[in-house]
Amino acid sequence: MDRQINAFTVDVEDYYQVAALATAIPRESWPTRESRVEANTERLLGLLAGRGVRGTFFILGCVAERSPALVRRIAAAGHEVACHGFSHQLIYRQQPEEFREETIRAKRFLEDLIGEAVFGYRAASFSVTRESLWALDTLIDAGFRYDSSIFPIRHDRYGLPGARPDPHLLEAPSGRTLVEFPMSAARFLGVHVPVSGGGYFRILPYWVTRAGLRQINRRRRLPFTFYLHPWELDPGQPRFEVSALSRFRHYTNLDRCEARLQRILSDFAFAPMREVLERRALLAA
Ligand SMILES: [Zn+2]
């Protein structure tokens, strides 16, 4: 039987680097914050090892510079090391030159640490949108082989409604192409529901997630992208005063996430994103 193999992905960043909390946490204060990303990522690595699942870790450059040993641990455990940019700025708020410099800095740093090429890129808060498609050319210039930043939904901070839902070759503004493995959404009653990770995974009942993911795998015969952040497994993280919406998105069900993760790992099959793309012949093996 042909069970779909899905991409398991992690965006490696700390609880205070999240865009939803930016109003309460000035960037200048980041270096003085208690860092919890190493412990939380180690916990996640242990969980995945227990299930024999490997995935792709999109690591933030500034986290890698502070915690280089963590990057090596992720690679040594057999996971794919990929790039989550450097500073976690939204791309459409950056100047192209600033984006280019810091993205290359992050990619090179990761490559020097693991001694191999980094293929994959994911933008902070999926911020490849209509206003920032130019970034795809920067990614091609920097030597990335695939991007996983496009969310084919409507959202206040990100999204490219109408974008293709399957892994495919995407044309950048220059006419050159890059492989895109988009974020996944199910369709319930004609509405796109992003069931594939993060806050959606924590907030929606698990049966909704499972039904949506089964729809993608079985009815549409597509692999989905699952994504999570290490802080989503950490109910003990410091809390900040933010808007009710941000509080809801960031703090709901942190204490239930680990049990749900165990369920999804037994209900679906996963591999690193690069391997899923190789199986589909979008990347050379
Ligand atoms: Zn992120």
Side-chain angles (χ1 to χ4, degrees):
M1 80 162 256
D2 62 331
R3 198 178 178 204
Q4 286 281 355
I5 311 285
N6 304 289
F8 188 92
T9 72
V10 182
D11 291 355
V12 181
E13 64 199 39
D14 226 326
Y15 62 95
Y16 54 79
Q17 293 166 325
V18 178
L21 305 182
T23 52
I25 313 173
R27 187 171 282 271
E28 305 76 67
S29 73
W30 285 9
T32 62
R33 301 275 168 196
E34 176 202 1
S35 174
R36 299 171 74 92
V37 67
E38 286 187 36
N40 291 335
T41 305
E42 289 288 353
R43 213 161 125 228
L44 185 51
L45 287 172
L47 255 145
L48 293 173
R51 292 275 175 176
V53 172
R54 291 177 305 114
T56 297
F57 285 65
F58 293 96
I59 305 171
L60 200 57
C62 64
V63 168
E65 288 192 1
R66 259 176 96 170
S67 308
L70 182 66
V71 178
R72 290 199 195 95
R73 281 265 305 115
I74 291 168
H79 301 286
E80 178 188 4
V81 168
C83 182
H84 192 33
F86 186 83
S87 64
H88 218 254
Q89 295 261 23
L90 301 169
I91 297 180
Y92 50 78
R93 300 229 180 106
Q94 281 191 299
Q95 291 303 315
E97 202 38 52
E98 181 191 11
F99 174 72
R100 173 184 302 272
E101 270 171 32
E102 66 164 39
T103 304
I104 290 172
R105 172 177 168 185
K107 182 171 188 280
R108 289 207 182 124
F109 190 78
L110 292 170
E111 288 174 336
D112 287 346
L113 278 178
I114 62 169
E116 329 178 4
V118 163
F119 276 36
Y121 175 83
R122 175 170 295 148
S125 289
F126 317 113
S127 56
V128 174
T129 63
R130 295 233 184 274
E131 297 81 73
S132 52
L133 288 173
W134 52 264
L136 295 170
D137 276 303
T138 312
L139 297 177
I140 295 170
D141 291 337
F144 286 103
R145 307 281 299 281
Y146 73 86
D147 171 67
S148 179
S149 306
I150 293 181
F151 223 138
I153 57 161
R154 268 173 225 289
H155 183 278
D156 54 359
R157 203 177 313 110
Y158 50 80
L160 231 162
R164 264 177 79 163
D166 58 327
H168 60 279
L169 269 181
L170 176 66
E171 194 174 298
S174 67
R176 295 176 298 168
T177 55
L178 179 68
V179 174
E180 175 65 31
F181 198 141
M183 309 310 292
S184 302
R187 240 183 340 237
F188 295 123
L189 304 171
V191 179
H192 284 100
V193 182
V195 288
S196 64
Y200 308 105
F201 174 65
R202 279 182 289 115
I203 293 163
L204 295 169
Y206 180 70
W207 66 266
V208 176
T209 296
R210 188 173 53 195
L213 297 180
R214 280 191 176 151
Q215 176 195 92
I216 295 169
N217 271 183
R218 293 180 184 176
R219 192 140 22 108
R220 291 156 66 192
R221 295 181 180 281
L222 292 177
F224 62 78
T225 301
F226 181 78
Y227 72 96
L228 206 64
H229 304 86
W231 55 262
E232 294 188 273
L233 296 164
D234 180 12
Q237 66 190 271
R239 307 281 170 131
F240 296 93
E241 281 308 312
V242 287
S243 71
L245 177 63
S246 292
R247 210 158 51 230
F248 178 70
R249 283 176 177 165
H250 193 83
Y251 296 126
T252 301
N253 287 344
L254 291 173
D255 55 341
R256 289 178 156 180
C257 193
E258 182 169 333
R260 280 188 186 184
L261 182 59
Q262 295 282 14
R263 291 186 72 180
I264 203 169
L265 291 175
S266 58
D267 286 340
F268 297 91
F270 293 100
M273 188 165 264
R274 177 175 166 179
E275 289 180 22
V276 178
L277 293 169
E278 287 170 356
R279 282 164 169 272
R280 300 179 75 83
L282 280 162
L283 287 177

